[in-house]
Amino acid sequence: MDPKSYPRSQEHESRDSLEKLDQGTLELTLSKNTILHLVSKAGDIKYANDILAKHPSLVYHRNSGGETPAYVAARDGQVDILALMISYFKAKKDDIISLVTRSTDKHNALHIAIQNHHVGVVFWLIKEIPQLANSINDFNESPIYLAAERGYHHILNLILNMGGKQTFEGPKGKTALHAAAISGSKGLGVFGSGVLCTVGVGVSGVCVNVVFGTGKISSSNGKSPKLECITYLLKEGTDQHKRDKQGWTPLQYAVHHNNPLVSSELVDADPSIVYEIIKEDDINTSVVHIAAKRGYCETVKVLMNQCPGCSELLDEKGKNILHVAVENKQSEVIKFIYGDISYTSLVNKKDNDGNTPIHLLMASDLEMMEVAMDYRVNINAMNYEKLTPLDMASSNEKRKRLLEVHIFMLN
């Protein structure tokens, strides 16, 4: 940054600090930042060169947060300042990894550059210090995890293309695929943060021009950036069956957030994940049950269209997806199931208590009668207590309405 571009007070402050530094009278800020920390933040390459020439020891100084000037440069996207310091470390044969890592939590320059979406810094660090790509901080976050979590498909692809052994770890037992599924499910497409990168040679050895735009952006194949992250990770063979400490798979997060696009991408790569037994509310169930229970009809359609056999799945109480849809008054899901004749076997299926979905309807309100009734329903089916749906009706009004709707359906 040219000194003339500083506000006048900042330029004078920096010059005054340099004069005090020469005289040995410079005081640190409250956060124990030195003048080199401040210049690294501002991005003034001329002042940084002057300081390194006159007072090189400042490049090793850590502020109260355990941050070196090199870390600060990465945090604030100052790639030329960072390159200057790394060159100095290399010439001195210093431990570069340590000097770009925050001492308090092992959060390094690559971690913070990814989090702050400083694409130029990320590209440069991976080129110059590739071993950072597999570093884990004290939060158990890897660079791949952080990129996936934020939907930064260009950064993720860059790291994945490095080859070799790679680390996909994240906190609480999650992997990068968990992070991508959660991120993608919270909103496909990035608004107000479009990124176009061109790479060339500059002061730092690599110059990445970043153009920020507005509106929804997509990758070269038309997918949203967040969905593209999932595609990249699946191509790397990331384990979809791995569960986090909560016992959740990536697909479970996608279904939980009601994202049919993410669900479809995951299922397409490995349909077997739909049939896994998972836990919700301490009950063994399936992702299709969860979607039906919450009324996520489009997600239900994706799961059942891509895995037709999953319609026969039962939870630990013996309930199928029509049971849970009726029980939870999810009319759209009920209509979808009734609308496809291939799901006829669900209509009179009994759970562990012998109840059919229409038995459960009796605990619902009158408005659900017309939605949940169908000409295929057997209103005389008995549960294991020898009760029919009519017997379980809580009022004569319900009993009468059930018969009326049933007769209408038959006609």
Side-chain angles (χ1 to χ4, degrees):
M1 181 183 294
D2 187 84
K4 292 180 180 178
S5 66
Y6 279 129
R8 183 174 176 78
S9 60
Q10 188 174 357
E11 179 185 348
H12 286 183
E13 181 183 345
S14 297
R15 287 177 178 173
D16 290 345
S17 295
L18 282 174
E19 290 175 4
K20 289 180 180 180
L21 188 61
D22 288 337
Q23 298 164 9
T25 59
L26 178 67
E27 296 180 359
L28 302 175
T29 67
L30 290 176
S31 299
K32 295 187 178 180
N33 285 311
T34 67
I35 181 58
L36 189 54
H37 284 93
L38 301 179
V39 169
S40 297
K41 176 180 175 64
D44 193 305
I45 190 70
K46 178 181 178 297
Y47 282 149
N49 264 312
D50 290 345
I51 294 169
L52 271 180
K54 294 180 180 179
H55 303 280
S57 64
L58 290 183
V59 80
Y60 303 106
H61 186 88
R62 295 182 184 271
N63 61 20
S64 59
E67 303 165 343
T68 62
Y71 179 92
V72 170
R75 183 193 68 199
D76 288 278
Q78 306 297 351
V79 66
D80 285 341
I81 298 285
L82 180 62
L84 175 68
M85 294 180 188
I86 298 303
S87 295
Y88 181 86
F89 295 149
K90 285 183 176 180
K92 295 291 184 180
K93 297 183 178 179
D94 289 322
D95 181 355
I96 297 175
I97 302 296
S98 173
L99 292 168
V100 298
T101 300
R102 191 162 59 193
S103 60
T104 55
D105 53 18
K106 297 181 183 177
H107 202 65
N108 64 43
L110 184 57
H111 291 121
I112 195 64
I114 291 172
Q115 286 181 314
N116 291 344
H117 207 196
H118 294 312
V119 181
V121 173
V122 172
F123 276 48
W124 189 88
L125 284 169
I126 289 174
K127 174 179 175 288
E128 296 295 324
I129 320 174
Q131 55 268 47
L132 288 178
N134 283 321
S135 55
I136 305 289
N137 61 24
D138 283 348
F139 308 106
N140 212 43
E141 297 166 327
S142 66
I144 287 177
Y145 180 89
L146 291 173
E149 182 182 44
R150 287 157 176 77
Y152 297 157
H153 73 292
H154 46 288
I155 292 175
L156 180 62
N157 191 39
L158 179 72
I159 300 174
L160 292 175
N161 283 337
M162 292 176 64
K165 185 179 179 181
Q166 295 177 320
T167 304
F168 297 82
E169 287 182 48
K172 299 179 180 179
K174 290 182 175 64
T175 66
L177 191 57
H178 284 93
I182 295 168
S183 173
S185 295
K186 288 182 177 178
L188 288 171
V190 179
F191 292 85
S193 59
V195 180
L196 174 65
C197 303
T198 57
V199 183
V201 178
V203 176
S204 60
V206 98
C207 176
V208 180
N209 298 316
V210 183
V211 179
F212 292 90
T214 58
K216 191 170 183 178
I217 62 172
S218 62
S219 61
S220 59
N221 64 10
K223 289 184 179 179
S224 76
K226 292 184 176 182
L227 196 57
E228 191 73 6
C229 285
I230 293 173
T231 301
Y232 289 150
L233 290 166
L234 291 174
K235 284 181 180 177
E236 291 297 314
T238 311
D239 185 6
Q240 286 209 62
H241 299 271
K242 185 172 175 60
R243 303 189 180 209
D244 64 11
K245 289 183 179 178
Q246 190 176 329
W248 285 34
T249 62
L251 179 60
Q252 190 169 352
Y253 279 106
V255 171
H256 173 77
H257 290 290
N258 189 25
N259 196 301
L261 287 176
V262 172
S263 299
S264 178
E265 191 81 6
L266 294 169
V267 174
D268 188 56
D270 184 1
S272 70
I273 58 173
V274 177
Y275 298 91
E276 285 197 0
I277 300 300
I278 58 175
K279 281 266 189 188
E280 182 171 89
D281 301 329
D282 293 323
I283 294 174
N284 287 326
T285 185
S286 72
V287 288
V288 71
H289 279 80
I290 292 173
K293 177 182 177 181
R294 297 180 182 175
Y296 298 161
C297 194
E298 291 305 313
T299 299
V300 169
K301 289 177 183 178
V302 163
L303 298 174
M304 292 173 69
N305 287 339
Q306 292 185 232
C307 300
C310 76
S311 64
E312 299 293 333
L313 289 173
L314 305 176
D315 66 15
E316 72 174 44
K317 294 183 178 181
K319 290 182 171 65
N320 62 34
I321 58 172
L322 184 56
H323 281 102
V324 298
V326 169
E327 198 170 32
N328 291 278
K329 306 177 184 178
Q330 300 299 349
S331 58
E332 291 302 311
V333 177
I334 295 168
K335 290 176 183 177
F336 166 68
I337 294 170
Y338 280 154
D340 191 327
I341 196 169
S342 66
Y343 303 135
T344 295
S345 62
L346 305 179
V347 175
N348 294 302
K349 182 78 173 178
K350 294 183 178 182
D351 64 15
N352 293 349
D353 296 319
N355 291 319
T356 65
I358 208 66
H359 279 87
L360 303 181
L361 177 65
M362 294 299 97
S364 188
D365 48 40
L366 287 172
E367 286 74 17
M368 282 298 296
M369 289 279 186
E370 293 182 16
V371 174
M373 279 297 293
D374 183 84
Y375 71 93
R376 291 163 290 181
V377 168
N378 180 6
I379 63 170
N380 296 310
M382 288 187 178
N383 64 16
Y384 298 146
E385 294 181 354
K386 299 186 183 297
L387 297 174
T388 68
L390 287 170
D391 296 327
M392 294 180 67
S394 58
S395 66
N396 287 332
E397 184 182 10
K398 278 190 178 182
R399 216 171 276 116
K400 178 182 177 183
R401 185 61 179 150
L402 177 60
L403 285 169
E404 288 174 347
V405 174
H406 181 60
I407 292 169
F408 175 79
M409 291 289 179
L410 291 176
N411 293 331

